[in-house]
Amino acid sequence: MKIQHPLLIQAVGYAGSRLIRRVGRTWDFHFRYEDPAVDPEVARRTGTRYIYAFFHEVMLFPAYYWNWPTMNILISDHRDGEMITQVVKRLGFGVVRGSTTRGGARALRQMTETIREGNLCVTPDGPRGPRRRVHQGVAYLASRTGLPVVGAGMAFKDALRARSWDRFCIPKPGSKAVAVAPAPVHIPPDADRDALEAGRAEIERRMNAAMDEAEAWVQEL
């Protein structure tokens, strides 16, 4: 049954954010950065800006670890997106509604025109997949903002998997958690359709390589 009443959606948002904070405190985090400058904590201190991309299935990792107001996350306009919005706002993110597919043009314009500070966060395979496939919207966003894309791979050692299109990852308390970030991808500001596609493909390649590395590494911990 879909939850539609605004008060129920707000209640889910409140409960969800409390649960993420409580369980997230027990996760054991590890990081690898090809370029240390892309570490969000370093970027936060230096004022360097990026577009951080992570696949839909592992969004609980950044939801707990990088929930700062300077992280502006793109949340889909679809019905379930309102519950996610209620959760991430309470965790501390800035929010823009839309996606790289449905409602994407408006949201991408809002991001490029109104967000002048902080970093941007996107799930480039969301909201409906295909799983681990990057939509071209993130390349467009990078081109129009001038911000490089850091496509991170993330994994948990002890986690349940939902039967959803993305096999959403639900880490257990005490789980090992790792993030692998490759070097950023730069998209030319005047990129045409072919250049955007080349950029999209490179972001996807680096993200999937980072996911493979993260999933192998977490099993060694």
Side-chain angles (χ1 to χ4, degrees):
M1 182 179 65
K2 294 288 185 179
I3 298 175
Q4 299 185 21
H5 194 285
L7 291 180
L8 287 178
I9 291 173
Q10 290 179 28
V12 170
Y14 174 78
S17 62
R18 289 288 300 270
L19 181 61
I20 290 171
R21 284 197 182 99
R22 178 168 294 186
V23 179
R25 293 190 193 103
T26 73
W27 298 335
D28 181 16
F29 290 92
H30 303 263
F31 302 88
R32 286 179 183 167
Y33 297 102
E34 184 173 335
D35 178 356
V38 306
D39 178 344
E41 300 200 47
V42 173
R44 189 184 190 189
R45 293 195 299 269
T46 63
T48 308
R49 301 175 67 210
Y50 296 99
I51 298 171
Y52 289 100
F54 44 87
F55 286 129
H56 199 272
E57 67 198 80
V58 292
M59 68 167 58
L60 289 181
F61 188 119
Y64 175 78
Y65 203 88
W66 289 309
N67 50 11
W68 311 322
T70 54
M71 288 291 204
N72 300 286
I73 191 165
L74 183 61
I75 302 293
S76 173
D77 268 338
H78 72 88
R79 185 185 303 169
D80 293 339
E82 180 57 31
M83 283 189 288
I84 298 172
T85 296
Q86 291 294 327
V87 172
V88 299
K89 277 186 173 180
R90 285 174 169 81
L91 288 171
F93 285 95
V95 173
V96 176
R97 296 303 302 274
S99 75
T100 53
T101 52
R102 183 172 178 266
R106 175 184 56 77
L108 293 175
R109 284 197 300 270
Q110 183 178 349
M111 276 195 161
T112 57
E113 293 172 2
T114 67
I115 297 176
R116 304 297 183 185
E117 299 179 354
N119 299 291
L120 310 181
C121 301
V122 298
T123 53
D125 61 340
R128 301 187 186 280
R131 181 177 183 241
R132 300 191 184 182
R133 289 291 303 276
V134 171
H135 297 301
Q136 198 176 85
V138 67
Y140 174 88
L141 185 61
S143 175
R144 300 307 183 259
T145 61
L147 300 181
V149 179
V150 179
M154 301 171 182
F156 294 94
K157 188 169 187 177
D158 298 306
L160 303 174
R161 288 280 185 173
R163 293 183 178 178
S164 54
W165 66 265
D166 60 348
R167 298 190 61 222
F168 192 80
C169 188
I170 307 169
K172 298 177 182 179
S175 176
K176 304 288 186 183
V178 307
V180 173
V185 177
H186 298 261
I187 310 292
D190 56 350
D192 59 15
R193 183 174 298 179
D194 290 341
L196 289 175
E197 173 54 26
R200 182 212 66 78
E202 181 61 16
I203 294 166
E204 182 176 284
R205 185 191 69 79
R206 294 191 192 188
M207 288 189 73
N208 277 295
M211 287 293 292
D212 290 344
E213 182 178 344
E215 289 174 342
W217 180 25
V218 80
Q219 296 305 317
E220 297 171 359
L221 298 176

